[in-house]
Amino acid sequence: MNSDVQIAGDPLAIPHLLPPVPAHPATVAGFVGLARSIAADRDAWAPLVRYDTTSRWYHRLRTGPGYEVWLLSWVPGQGSGRHDHGPSSGVLTVLEGELTEHAGTGRRTLTAGDQRVFAPGYVHEVVNDALTPAVSLHIYFPGLTEMPMHGAPHCTPSALETAAP
């Protein structure tokens, strides 16, 4: 007895019957999925990571139409300062270690595998408050063209004074 595949042929071998696979993400969910797939491929990104005690280390992993992907490392105590990403939206994914995000809604601890999605104009500060280094992946869409800074970071004496009861 013949099978359906023997009679009709393999439907996967007929490209016009399949929906086109997008070459690049076009939705927030697509960018989140891209970040997860890159995170899962540790052998591709881990050898690239460097740690710099004088400033945050970063490396652009890839670009696509309207987006870019960055790999960052953070030694203990390093932070981004309060900033936004101009007209860009983004996905932040912690690959290793632990990072603390300070935003208008308070403070959030992010560990390996955690993701944050943000829209243009979202103001935050990311800091490695842990005792071990951390690595994160950042996807910006459209690609990052500016990163305006916003006042004092959370840990300066002036910020502590204003936060005191």
Side-chain angles (χ1 to χ4, degrees), residues 79-84 102-104 122-127 147-155 159:
S80 64
R82 288 188 58 203
H83 67 281
D84 70 58
H102 300 269
Y122 177 71
V123 178
H124 69 156
E125 177 181 17
V126 179
V127 180
M147 197 171 109
M149 301 306 287
H150 293 268
H154 80 281
C155 55

Side-chain angles (χ1 to χ4, degrees), residues 10-163:
D10 184 356
L12 297 178
I14 306 171
H16 69 278
L17 296 177
L18 299 174
V21 176
H24 301 283
T27 64
V28 172
F31 286 109
V32 167
L34 174 62
R36 286 185 182 150
S37 68
I38 293 171
D41 190 6
R42 189 178 198 296
D43 291 341
W45 58 261
L48 302 172
V49 175
R50 303 291 178 263
Y51 297 97
D52 186 336
T53 57
T54 59
S55 67
R56 284 181 302 132
W57 173 89
Y58 51 91
H59 172 76
R60 187 164 50 193
L61 279 178
R62 72 172 75 159
T63 60
Y67 73 93
E68 56 189 13
V69 181
W70 292 87
L71 184 65
L72 282 75
S73 71
W74 313 71
V75 298
Q78 284 181 338
S80 64
R82 288 188 58 203
H83 67 281
D84 70 58
H85 301 93
S88 300
S89 295
V91 178
L92 159 65
T93 305
V94 178
L95 302 177
E96 288 182 352
E98 181 178 294
L99 294 170
T100 303
E101 180 190 39
H102 300 269
T105 56
R107 167 190 154 129
R108 174 176 290 143
T109 300
L110 305 169
T111 58
D114 288 345
Q115 291 186 296
R116 295 285 292 139
V117 175
F118 52 87
Y122 177 71
V123 178
H124 69 156
E125 177 181 17
V126 179
V127 180
N128 182 351
D129 287 332
L131 298 175
T132 57
V135 179
S136 59
L137 182 79
H138 303 247
I139 300 178
Y140 300 107
F141 47 97
L144 194 62
T145 58
E146 58 184 276
M147 197 171 109
M149 301 306 287
H150 293 268
H154 80 281
C155 55
T156 62
S158 61
L160 293 175
E161 289 167 11
T162 58

